[in-house]
Amino acid sequence: MEITTMGPAEIRELISMRDAVDAVREGFLALHRGEFEMPTRTVLRDGGFLVMSVHHRPSSSAMIKTLSLNFDRSPAIVGTVTWSEFGHTDHLVADAMELTRIRTGAVSGVATDLMAPPEAATCTVIGAGGQAADQARAVQAVRPLSRLHIVSRNSDKAEALAARLREELPIADVTSGTDVEKGVRDVDVVCCATTSTTPLFPADAIAAHTHVNAIGAFRPTMRELPDELLTDSVVVIDELEAILEEAGDVLHALDAGAVTRDRLVELGPALADGIGPRTGRTVFKSVGVALQDWAIARILADRALRR
C-alpha cells in the first residue's frame, strides 16, 4: 500500500477554483441521482470535532474527513481527508483545512452561478477569516466582478485580505470596511463567512435583486441571517437532513414560522430542474456535506495518484 500525502501548497497547485466549482456541481447532481451513501456527520464536543464520510457507488470510492475546530486558535480548522478506492491499495491523505476552504468556496460558486443575476458584478464578503478568500474566488470564477468589498469587525484583517485579493484577482475595485449594513446595500452577491450567533444585518439592507450565500453558521446556536430574509427569498439548501440537524439560521426561522420546510429546495434538484423564474432575492444556506469533500478529493486523487 502506498500513501500519498498532500499539504496546502500541493492541493492549490493541483486544483483551480473553476475545477472545484465544476466538481462540486457534478457531485450535487450525483447526489440527486442517488449515487452516494452519505451519513449525517458525527458532531462531538458541540462542534469541536467533526467526522464526515461518504461512499460513491459508481466509482467504488470513499472519503473520510476528520476535523477539530477551535476558533480561538490559528488555524481554526485542523484535520485530514482520506481518499480510498475499493479496487486499489493506494490512498490519498490531504490537509483538511485547505480542502475545506476550497470546497466551501466552490459550493457558493455553484449556488451563485445558479441563482445570482447573470449580469452580477459586485460582491461583499462578510468575514475575513479562513473561509473568506475562497468565497471571493468562487464568486469571481462564475461572475467576473468589477467590485469586491470585504467587511470585518477587525479593520486590519479586512484590509489585509482585500490587499491580498487585489494582487490575486482581476477585479478593478477591491475595498474593505467595518460597516456590515452599508457594505451589503445594493450589491449583487453577499457571502457570509462568520461565526456569528446573531444576524449580521437587517433583511431590508439586502436589495431586491441580491443573492446571499451563508456558509459560516454550522451549528444550531449560530446565525448569520435574519428570519425575514428567508421569508422573502427563494431559499436553496445543500441537503435537508444536514440543515435540519445543524443550520441555526434555518432552524430559528422554522421555529418562528418565518419559513416552512416545503420552501427549502435542495441544491441537487435545483441544479437538475432549475429554480423557476427569478423575481427577487435568493439565499443559499450551507452547513457543508461530505460529497463536497469527496468531489475535491477525487480530482486530487486523479491528478496525484495516477499521473
Side-chain angles (χ1 to χ4, degrees):
M1 179 178 73
E2 182 175 337
I3 298 176
T4 298
T5 61
M6 300 188 69
E10 295 160 299
I11 292 170
R12 292 284 177 178
E13 211 174 281
L14 285 182
I15 186 167
S16 70
M17 183 53 74
R18 184 73 248 187
D19 291 337
V21 170
D22 291 344
V24 169
R25 179 189 293 108
E26 178 52 38
F28 275 96
L29 287 167
L31 178 67
H32 180 51
R33 295 192 296 266
E35 295 181 6
F36 288 105
E37 292 178 74
M38 189 172 69
T40 302
R41 67 181 164 201
T42 300
V43 178
L44 305 171
R45 195 181 170 87
D46 192 31
F49 297 97
L50 305 176
V51 181
M52 304 171 71
S53 60
V54 65
H55 167 232
H56 183 238
R57 296 184 187 92
S59 63
S60 298
S61 59
M63 186 285 313
I64 298 174
K65 180 168 81 170
T66 59
L67 291 178
S68 69
L69 290 85
N70 183 341
F71 293 102
D72 294 325
R73 73 181 180 206
S74 182
I77 300 172
V78 177
T80 58
V81 169
T82 303
W83 167 275
S84 59
E85 297 174 50
F86 193 72
H88 299 270
T89 58
D90 293 348
H91 281 54
L92 173 71
V93 179
D95 176 75
M97 177 185 71
E98 207 67 18
L99 193 146
T100 299
R101 289 172 174 172
I102 293 170
R103 64 82 138 153
T104 306
V107 78
S108 290
V110 172
T112 300
D113 200 26
L114 173 70
M115 304 169 74
E119 67 280 6
T122 59
C123 175
T124 291
V125 176
I126 307 173
Q131 300 282 0
D134 281 304
Q135 294 296 303
R137 292 174 182 130
V139 174
Q140 169 67 19
V142 299
R143 294 290 190 276
L145 296 173
S146 61
R147 179 161 56 90
L148 173 66
H149 186 59
I150 307 297
V151 181
S152 173
R153 291 175 298 181
N154 185 319
S155 60
D156 290 340
K157 286 183 68 175
E159 179 51 33
L161 178 58
R164 177 152 59 103
L165 293 174
R166 276 187 210 111
E167 294 296 317
E168 178 187 333
L169 299 176
I171 301 173
D173 185 15
V174 182
T175 58
S176 67
T178 58
D179 189 329
V180 173
E181 188 169 342
K182 180 181 177 183
V184 300
R185 287 196 180 278
D186 201 33
V187 295
D188 301 323
V189 180
V190 173
C191 296
C192 305
T194 76
T195 57
S196 180
T197 57
T198 57
L200 298 170
F201 46 76
D204 62 9
I206 301 298
H209 71 284
T210 300
H211 170 67
V212 178
N213 297 306
I215 59 90
F218 65 95
R219 299 298 299 136
T221 53
M222 301 168 75
R223 289 178 69 201
E224 295 182 301
L225 306 179
D227 292 344
E228 297 80 6
L229 180 62
L230 300 183
T231 301
D232 295 334
S233 302
V234 174
V235 181
V236 174
I237 58 173
D238 48 14
E239 197 262 342
L240 182 61
E241 187 175 357
I243 288 291
L244 295 180
E245 186 79 19
E246 299 178 333
D249 309 88
V250 175
L251 293 171
H252 191 279
L254 287 169
D255 288 344
V259 70
T260 54
R261 189 181 299 193
D262 64 304
R263 287 193 48 233
L264 305 176
V265 181
E266 289 186 320
L267 182 56
L271 290 167
D273 304 328
I275 59 170
R278 193 188 189 288
T279 57
R281 299 182 294 194
T282 56
V283 170
F284 174 63
K285 174 59 198 169
S286 173
V287 292
V289 290
L291 76 87
Q292 295 166 234
D293 303 287
W294 172 89
I296 305 304
R298 184 181 195 179
I299 295 177
L300 297 177
D302 286 344
R303 295 177 180 178
L305 299 182
R306 293 182 254 289
R307 61 187 176 185

